[in-house]
Amino acid sequence: MARLEIESEVTGNVWKVEVQAGARVDAGDVLMILESMKMEIPVEAPEAGRVSELRVAEEDAVEEDQVIAILET
């Protein structure tokens, strides 16, 4: 299994977390939604796998390039 670090593409806040650690996801599934400058930015799984770790929770602030989740593929 490969370990993928999912990074935030923007500085903003976690608006909604759509999955829990341990969940199986397909490529393109939305993991969470970030809010930046009143825009909602979905964070999608780049590959199918299992979410092994969520490093943020709803309402957390995030920085650009911050690791926000780990995906085991």
Side-chain angles (χ1 to χ4, degrees):
M1 279 192 163
R3 181 176 187 257
L4 285 177
E5 293 184 339
I6 310 297
E7 298 178 348
S8 172
E9 296 179 8
V10 297
T11 297
N13 295 304
V14 179
W15 182 70
K16 186 172 186 181
V17 176
E18 298 282 351
V19 297
Q20 296 180 357
R24 292 234 168 250
V25 295
D26 291 322
D29 284 355
V30 176
L31 305 176
M32 63 186 70
I33 300 171
L34 304 180
E35 184 273 327
S36 180
M37 298 176 57
K38 301 196 184 217
M39 293 179 57
E40 296 174 6
I41 299 103
V43 177
E44 298 178 350
E47 298 180 25
R50 183 182 63 84
V51 178
S52 63
E53 185 179 345
L54 291 172
R55 294 196 174 174
V56 294
E58 290 181 5
E59 300 185 14
D60 283 355
V62 295
E63 297 293 326
E64 186 174 353
D65 299 326
Q66 176 182 339
V67 176
I68 54 178
I70 305 294
L71 186 66
E72 300 286 339
T73 61

